Every structure is written in structure tokens, then in C-alpha cells.
Amino acid sequence: MKRICLVIVLLLLVSDVSAQGRRSVLIRAAQPHDSLVRAIEQAGGTVTHRFKHVKGIAAEVPDSAMGLIERLVGPDNVGRDELIPLPATTDPRGGSVDGEAEADDIVALDAGGVSIDPANYAFNAALTNVAPLHAAGQNGAGVVIAVIDSGFRPIKVHVAPSRIIAPGLNLVQGATEPPAISDLNEPHGTFVSGMAAANVAFCFSAAARFVVVAEFYGAAFAGPPCAATARLVPMVGSAPGASIFPIKVFPAGGGGAPTSRVIAAMEAAIDLRQKFDTGQADGLNIRVANLSLGGPTNAAARELDDEAVEALINADIVPVVAAGNEGHSSVTTGSPSTSFAALTVGSANDHRHEQIFRAQFSAPCGLASTPLEMVFACAQSYRPDTNVQISEFSSRGPTHDGRTDPDVVAVGSFNYSQSSGGATTVNFGSGTSYSTPTVSGIAAVLRQAVPGATARQVRRAIIESADASKVPTADANDQGAGFINAAAALALLQAGNAADSYDTAPFTRNLKANMERAGHKVYAGPTSLHFAGVRPAQVTDIPFVVSEKTEQLFVRIHSIAADLPLAQQNPFFTDDVFLKIQSSVVHNDDMRQGNVPFLPAGEERLYTFTRPEEGIWRISPAGDWTNAGTVSYTVDIWTSKETFPQHSAKAKIGNGESHVYTFDVPAGTAALETRLTWMNMNGNYPISDVDVILTPPSGPVVNSCNTNRTPELCVVTEPVAGKWTARVVGFSIPTFGVPTVGEHYTLRIAADDVVLNLEGK
């Protein structure tokens, strides 16, 4: 979709509600929307949101109305209302990435009576350098952070009840859906809120596995009000005085949130801030918005939710957005973190956080059979590298349109907050969801400390003051400007050296050119690269162009060697290579290397991909983050061209056009495979959206190739024999930056891998 305002002209309508279903769409259109809304309703559609601060609406419309809508608003202004998933991470080594421990008692720090020196909640506050601000009384007091997430669970008091602004705002419809503040809510938003604004401490038994390792790092210590046999463990967010306003967009039962609902949440935050600014009683001093969420995008920075982020910052609200958990390959940050105005946050992994976690929850350290006195040594052996690393899951840049990304990083691996369980249950979790509120809290502290600074200045100060040296293996597309440094950001603001602006950027139609403009070299043709001295968690991402008519892509990794003697390597896994191979799908986690991502010294492995998607694949070996030392390896990449007809049809299609093909499915077919691919479209920006809708001679229509993904791939098992119809639909084919209207595609339909002949168009 394109940022453009078009005059809406109401056309003569003939309602023809398609039997092939309805689409949830986002439509960019100038205000007022009245004539467009009438057109949609007369065509059998329903408008679900009329946006105020971005130029557009959300609607559910029949397939048959799509052509009409595109004629009304232009082909660049219609896109899917994508479902943004509830964020999640997994441990590539298996096991859990989250856990919980039970404390004996909880102590509220807001009420006074217990003084916790900032040095005692040591390493997270020390890493972000926010402890000096807290010591000076700058803790975010008076600042409201809007947490656009899954709501808050009031059984948790790590954020004082007086600082959870009731009733919050629930945007999830349904008679049985609990309100924004309810113990029935999904726990993600509660954990997020604690990372920003927790201010409690817990008493744990001195013999608890949690305490055995935490005490070594100063995260647990003896003292009142805990008993002599217990240890006090503070849980202090980066803005322990800030207030949280929960805006609920994720349902209590789990699942995703439509993009339109997230946009509505951002607009609600803007409305509340504007009411506050004009002195209205129901306004709120929202000065930071936390969005620990995101999804794929076909047009980075140019979707409606990207523009809603710009509306936030222009309303003087700092928009802090998670980069995503789709790393470690490049071009995996998603929307709305790709907005020009977003303060995009990636995740770092500190050895102390990981060792505390592994001591409790990961075999062998967390097993009951491991003696308590050996737990600390075990955790150190599990993660021997003491450098701050970029988390293996953290999404990386550049953006699809050629900007380095994320903007900054903070610790997002094995963080400590509250979410599930009872009032004294503490939780551990990982994801850019949890590095993001750490930065949101720091933004709140800065807004309290320098109240005259604008949201744009605060964002700029946080980025320009970040420490690029704290993560020694990271480049600008891993960490942006670097690890956040709150005290340095404050100094920039106080000196008046933070510009009151955010940057936009041009783009080219070619992803390769965009990536290389952002400093990320792209390879093509037979390639052999040797990497030596690769440090733990250091990624050697290799973008590789897969061209049209490629029959097979080959990736071979060999000559793997560990530089330390075996006795000095990680005793559990040895020092090895952690490999990910990402398809040409951008802004997503589409790994193809199979189930053996960890390759030890001496291993050699060949990966073969038949009929690989055209575009830029990313072959992404890395030094395993659990390595004790450096490793070396060689990667060879080459392709072969097709020697048989790979497609059934090839054509050019424009926005809103439909091509209809018929074909015969033989009796006894076990699997009917459909594959629709743009000719190098995954190597372009933006990515157009084309769909295939299959109609059998009897039975329901097949819509599994009617998605936002390119290529469209679907398989029908035991299909009905007879004459089928395939309808190719140009759903969203932007014209901006395109020299000619329309894009070329290839369609391959095969019965048990035998390519079928198609008739028609």
C-alpha cells in the first residue's frame, strides 16, 4: 500500500456476494470515509474500524467486492488485516524457555520501609546504566506507559495496584471476554508491565536453586525483612515509579490480534493523551507506548500500522516496539517495528541471566539429581562465554527497504518478572517482548527527568547514546546503535543535543540493492566462503540470490573446527556451529535446515532444496552461543537449473485481475500440489500478494493457497478426480516504484509430482 490520499468517488454498485468467502482488509483512504463506507456496506461488507489518526478503515468484505474497492481507492491502498500472533520463543536446544519459582513472601517497595540500594538489583540496572537515574530519584513517577498487549493480571502486585490505571481498555470483543485488568487474562502483558515498572522484592529460601546462583551475582542478598535463613531478591523495572495503562488487544484464551485492533489501540492512546493535554478529566498523561508485538509485512514502513506509530510519536508519545523473535537471519524484523518512527528494540543475552535460568530449568543443571553445591559450576559450564550476546532469536536487519534495524538492544533472554501462577510466583521468560519494556521504562524515566523533551527527542537520544561496544560480536543489523545507555541518553537530552525529528529513507525496488545499501553484502552464483575465529553467538549471515528456473539449491557446510582443545570446550555440547537457513520469505521465521541445527567439529552436511523459492535466501551459520571458544567453518552454495517444465502456466497479472485455469486431476491421485510464485518477487520491495483459489468438481472450495505468503504453497491430499478450476487473483499489486503495471508469476500444479497441463487464463 502507498501513502497517498485519493478522492473517493462512489461508483454504481451491483452487489454480488461471492460464495468464495470474505476478506479482512485494511483500506487506505482520505477522510471523511462516508462514501467509501456506504459503498462497502452496499456491496455486502462490514466496516469494523474507522480510523481517526491514520487515513484509513478496516473492513470485512466479500471477495466479489474487492475489484470495486480497488477502483474506489486505487490498487496501492488495499491490504490484508493480518493477524498479529501472540509473541513466543523456543529454545533450539529443546526444553523450556520460561519457568517459574515460588517465593516465601513478597515485599512492596513502593510503600517504603524497605530500602533497596540500586546497586543491589545489580546487573540489569547496571547493564542499562539506569541505576544512577534511580539513585537520583528519577524513576518515571508521573509518567504513564500504555502497554498494548494482553491486559494485566491483578493477582500480581509487582507493579503496585495504585500504578495500574483502572479499568484499562479492552478492545477484544465478546460477551465472555474478561476486562483489561483481570486474572483471567493471558499473562504476556503482565510480564511486560513488570519489566517496565515492577518495584517489589521477594523472600526466598537460601537453599533455593534460584538463590544459589543469583546470590553470587548480587541479585539475592541477606537482610530484613526476610528471615535469617532466607534471601531478599528485588524485582525492579527500569521505571519503578511509572504507571501502567493496559490496552488489551490479545484475547484471554490466547491467539492473535488483527492489525486493525492494534491500530485502534494506538489511536486510543493518542486520544487519551490529547484529552490530558486539553485538561479533560478522563485524559491520561501517556508519554510512552509499549508494543511487544508484531507481524510480517510486504511493505516495511509503508503499512497502516507503521503510520499509526508515526501518529504516536507526532502526538508526543514515544513508540517502543519489539523487533520480533524471527532471527537470527537478516531481514526478519516485522511491522510495526519497521516504522520510520518506531524505537525498535532487539534482544541481548547476558550470561548472568542465562546461568540463573539454566541452574533451575535446564538439564543437567536444573535436575533434582544435580547436587545443590554443583549447580553454580554447572550453570557456568552451560553458558561459559561471559560477553553480552545478541539473543539467537532476535530479529535482525536490514529492513526490506534498506535501513539498518533494530535501533537498540536490551536484555531479552531469561528475564525475571511476574505473569502466571499466584501472588508469590516469579516467572522467567525470553523474547524481544521483554527487552522492549526495559527500553519503554527508560523512556519514561527520561520523560520525567527532562519533561520538556519531546517524544522525538527522547527516541533520538536513546538511539544516539547507545553503546555499540557492549556486544562485541554484533554489527548494526544485529543491534542497531547498540546496547541502551540511560545515563548517556539523559546527558544528550540535558545538553540539548537530541534532534526533534525522526528520519525517513528512500528505497529501491530491488531487495539486493536495499540490503547492500544497509551494509549487508548479497551473493549470487557459486559461492565458497571460509570463516575463522567465529565467536560465540557471532552470526555470519550469507544472503544468496536464487534466480528464476532454479531446480535445486545446494548448501554444504564443512571443515568445522573448534579452536579450543576438547577438554576446554563446552562440556555438555562441545563447541559447535549453530546453523539456520532462511528461505526467501522476509519478515518471518521460515527455516529450512531440518532438525539438526547444531553441527559439531568434524561434521559435514549437505542440504538440498528442490524448486526453491526465487529471491534472496539467507544461509546463517553462527558460533553456538554456548561455545567456550571460537570456531571455524566453510560454506559452499550453488544451484542447478531446471531440466524439465517446472510450471504449468506463466503470465502477467495486474491488481484486481483474475486468471482462470481448468485442469484434470487423475483418479487415484494421492496429493495435488499447487505452487504459485512471483518471478523474483521475494527479491523485490514491496512484495505483491497473489492468491490461488481451487474449486474441485464437488466439495468445498480450497482456500489454503489464499494467504499473504509468497510463494503460495498448498497440498490437497486424496483430491477428488475430475475437472478442477484454479483462479489466480492479483490481490494487492502495488504500482509505486514499478515501471510497468502488473507482475509476472509462474503457476505449477502437480498430481503426485507430475506437472499438469492447464487450459485458459
Side-chain angles (χ1 to χ4, degrees), residues 106 113 184 274 280 317 345 365 393 418 444 511 522 535 548 556 696 725:
I106 185 170
L184 298 177
Q274 290 179 342
Q280 298 181 51
I317 298 171
V345 184
C365 309
F393 55 78
Q418 283 196 296
L511 175 58
V522 178
R535 300 174 67 171
E548 182 188 0
R556 183 167 70 107
T725 299

Side-chain angles (χ1 to χ4, degrees), residues 168-342:
L169 178 63
N170 176 30
L171 297 181
V172 184
Q173 297 180 350
T176 61
E177 188 67 36
I181 302 174
S182 167
D183 290 333
L184 298 177
N185 283 326
E186 204 284 334
H188 185 268
T190 305
F191 197 113
V192 166
S193 298
M195 291 302 303
N199 197 24
V200 296
F202 298 88
C203 294
F204 281 89
S205 166
R209 285 177 180 266
F210 176 30
V211 170
V212 168
V213 181
E215 189 170 13
F216 177 85
Y217 290 123
F221 50 92
C226 297
T229 58
R231 297 292 180 267
L232 190 69
V233 183
M235 180 184 289
V236 180
S238 50
S243 296
I244 299 294
F245 182 70
I247 303 180
K248 178 179 166 181
V249 296
F250 291 113
T259 301
S260 57
R261 188 186 296 159
V262 174
I263 296 172
M266 288 189 265
E267 294 212 317
I270 294 170
D271 286 342
L272 288 166
R273 172 59 191 274
Q274 290 179 342
K275 288 181 178 180
F276 176 85
D277 289 343
T278 56
Q280 298 181 51
D282 56 346
L284 284 176
N285 187 25
I286 295 174
R287 307 195 75 186
V288 180
N290 187 95
L291 292 100
S292 290
L293 50 78
T297 174
N298 286 346
R302 292 163 177 87
E303 305 275 15
L304 274 184
D305 54 340
D306 294 316
E307 294 182 21
V309 171
E310 293 189 59
L312 279 173
I313 205 166
N314 291 329
D316 198 40
I317 298 171
V318 182
V320 191
V321 189
N325 303 326
E326 283 68 51
H328 58 231
S329 295
S330 56
V331 203
T332 47
T333 56
S335 182
S337 77
T338 53
S339 172
F340 293 127

Side-chain angles (χ1 to χ4, degrees), residues 78-220:
V78 183
R80 293 179 190 271
D81 189 2
E82 285 289 330
L83 195 68
I84 295 176
L86 189 69
T89 57
T90 58
D91 188 344
R93 290 203 171 277
S96 177
V97 292
D98 51 27
E100 58 183 40
E102 197 63 38
D104 299 328
D105 198 6
I106 185 170
V107 182
L109 302 181
D110 283 37
V114 178
S115 176
I116 304 297
D117 187 318
N120 288 332
Y121 50 94
F123 45 94
N124 208 20
L127 280 167
T128 61
N129 204 19
V130 74
L133 281 68
H134 292 178
Q138 296 156 341
N139 63 4
V143 177
V144 178
I145 303 172
V147 176
I148 298 173
D149 212 290
S150 63
F152 189 85
R153 308 180 83 188
I155 193 173
K156 304 297 188 180
V157 294
H158 57 323
V159 181
S162 62
R163 293 189 291 110
I164 300 295
I165 300 175
L169 178 63
N170 176 30
L171 297 181
V172 184
Q173 297 180 350
T176 61
E177 188 67 36
I181 302 174
S182 167
D183 290 333
L184 298 177
N185 283 326
E186 204 284 334
H188 185 268
T190 305
F191 197 113
V192 166
S193 298
M195 291 302 303
N199 197 24
V200 296
F202 298 88
C203 294
F204 281 89
S205 166
R209 285 177 180 266
F210 176 30
V211 170
V212 168
V213 181
E215 189 170 13
F216 177 85
Y217 290 123

Side-chain angles (χ1 to χ4, degrees), residues 15 17 22-23 36-48 58-65 68-69:
S15 180
V17 179
R22 298 167 70 85
R23 294 177 184 259
L36 176 61
V37 170
R38 286 196 300 271
I40 290 170
E41 291 174 345
Q42 291 179 36
T46 303
V47 173
T48 55
E60 293 182 0
V61 299
D63 284 343
S64 60
L68 164 71
I69 294 169

